[in-house]
Amino acid sequence: MASSQVVELRDKQFMVDCGEGTQLQIRRSRINFNKIQAVFISHIHGDHCFGLIGMISTFGLQGRKAPLQVYAPEALGPMLQSQIDLFCQHLSFEVTFHAIDTKQNAVIYEDRSLTVSTIPLQHRLPTCGFLFREKPTLPHIRRDMIDYLEIPVSQINNIKNGAGWTTPDGRTFTHEQLTTPPDPPRAYAYCSDTRYVPTLHEIVAGVDLLYHESTYCLDSKQRAETYWHSTAADAATVAREAGVKKLLLGHYSSRYPDENAFLDEAREIFPESYLTNENDIFNV
């Protein structure tokens, strides 16, 4: 199964893997080509990256101007550049390649809203997952207090950032009285092709949403070990040990005519397990 996901946070979009046909699915999903700021490639098996050059070409034909950042194992860099030189000689935007170390758990991307870190995985060639972690937001303003005290709109940002307020008649209200706590920062972990990693739960501990490949069921455990993939039970075990809120299963082998076999196996270990299918949307 070709893999690609789009992670959206505060009107920014990031792509994780780019299997063949990704650009077609983007059109069907009505995703704005220009909103995708960066692409993160977990490893260079074709079902995770064959769609990249086609998507870049389409971005160019659509007149994209914003630069595109590509984060991937080092070996993809020269191949991607040769494809751009051959097929996309007059791109209207810049593609910047960033080589990542798949063996390290490190921050590779950061902006005002979030960080993206690598998650070392174990597959037949260098592979990593990606951890998207939202940065803390400011407290919520209590609209009833703002209206009651007739606090000017110009002071709202100051109050969000910790200030209090003193009324013209000398009454003082603290920051805590004027705000409610911010929403807890959210986190999403994407674990691409990998065999079961006993220590993986330490990196993804407590995330709101975990995607973990589940290519096989336990009846094919030997095959999973041979080809360095995971079973649904493996994925559920990681989710349980990490204490995540919800587990998404995916990357199913075509050997199974009924995907509910993966779901049943996972839910015996971790009840909050769910199947993924094309064009599904999950809120974190």
Side-chain angles (χ1 to χ4, degrees):
M1 176 184 290
S3 299
S4 184
Q5 297 182 8
V6 173
V7 179
E8 183 171 13
L9 175 67
R10 303 182 198 173
D11 207 35
K12 300 175 183 176
Q13 293 181 342
F14 306 90
M15 179 172 287
V16 188
D17 282 338
C18 191
E20 187 174 4
T22 293
Q23 61 171 312
L24 300 178
Q25 291 291 50
I26 288 177
R27 290 179 184 275
R28 294 184 184 123
S29 302
R30 301 187 181 278
I31 293 173
N32 188 330
F33 284 161
N34 291 311
K35 281 191 175 182
I36 297 175
Q37 300 191 5
V39 180
F40 299 88
I41 302 296
S42 62
H43 62 295
I44 54 174
H45 275 160
D47 58 332
H48 293 260
C49 63
F50 275 176
L52 184 57
I53 187 60
M55 187 179 72
I56 289 173
S57 176
T58 297
F59 283 179
L61 294 173
Q62 292 289 326
R64 179 187 174 110
K65 300 299 182 183
L68 180 69
Q69 311 298 318
V70 176
Y71 296 81
E74 184 177 10
L76 183 62
M79 290 187 286
L80 178 61
Q81 188 59 55
S82 66
Q83 289 178 317
I84 292 174
D85 293 341
L86 181 61
F87 299 115
C88 310
Q89 297 180 13
H90 304 290
L91 274 183
S92 56
F93 64 98
E94 182 178 357
V95 178
T96 302
F97 181 83
H98 304 268
I100 57 178
D101 184 349
T102 61
K103 296 181 179 180
Q104 298 295 321
N105 172 216
V107 174
I108 57 173
Y109 174 92
E110 182 173 12
D111 63 24
R112 291 168 52 182
S113 302
L114 85 163
T115 61
V116 182
S117 304
T118 46
I119 303 172
L121 299 174
Q122 297 178 13
H123 195 39
R124 287 171 288 166
L125 75 176
T127 304
C128 67
F130 302 100
L131 175 57
F132 293 78
R133 192 174 293 280
E134 183 180 25
K135 291 185 176 180
T137 56
L138 295 175
H140 298 291
I141 285 290
R142 286 187 56 185
R143 178 56 59 183
D144 59 333
M145 292 294 288
I146 298 299
D147 294 342
Y148 170 67
L149 298 173
E150 299 182 343
I151 299 175
V153 173
S154 62
Q155 297 303 308
I156 288 179
N157 280 339
N158 290 337
I159 293 171
K160 282 188 173 184
N161 282 286
W165 178 253
T166 301
T167 64
D169 59 6
R171 290 178 297 158
T172 297
F173 294 83
T174 65
H175 166 76
E176 288 73 21
Q177 291 175 302
L178 301 173
T179 62
T180 57
D183 298 326
R186 295 164 291 177
Y188 170 60
Y190 173 91
C191 293
S192 180
D193 298 14
T194 182
R195 65 180 179 181
Y196 175 69
V197 181
T199 57
L200 179 57
H201 68 279
E202 298 173 2
I203 296 178
V204 301
V207 302
D208 298 271
L209 186 63
L210 167 66
Y211 169 86
H212 192 295
E213 74 113 297
S214 52
T215 305
Y216 298 103
C217 290
L218 282 172
D219 63 351
S220 297
K221 185 170 180 60
Q222 184 58 55
R223 182 179 289 269
E225 294 174 353
T226 299
Y227 295 105
W228 293 56
H229 280 291
S230 295
T231 65
D234 290 332
T237 299
V238 173
R240 182 186 64 192
E241 293 179 349
V244 308
K245 293 181 180 178
K246 185 181 292 187
L247 169 66
L248 301 181
L249 306 170
H251 203 273
Y252 321 116
S253 169
S254 59
R255 296 168 56 89
Y256 298 89
D258 184 0
E259 293 170 359
N260 283 307
F262 300 99
L263 186 61
D264 293 341
E265 180 173 297
R267 283 186 170 175
E268 287 187 7
I269 298 171
F270 188 75
E272 285 298 309
S273 300
Y274 299 87
L275 297 175
T276 58
N277 293 289
E278 291 182 0
N279 297 319
D280 279 350
I281 298 174
F282 295 91
N283 293 319
V284 181

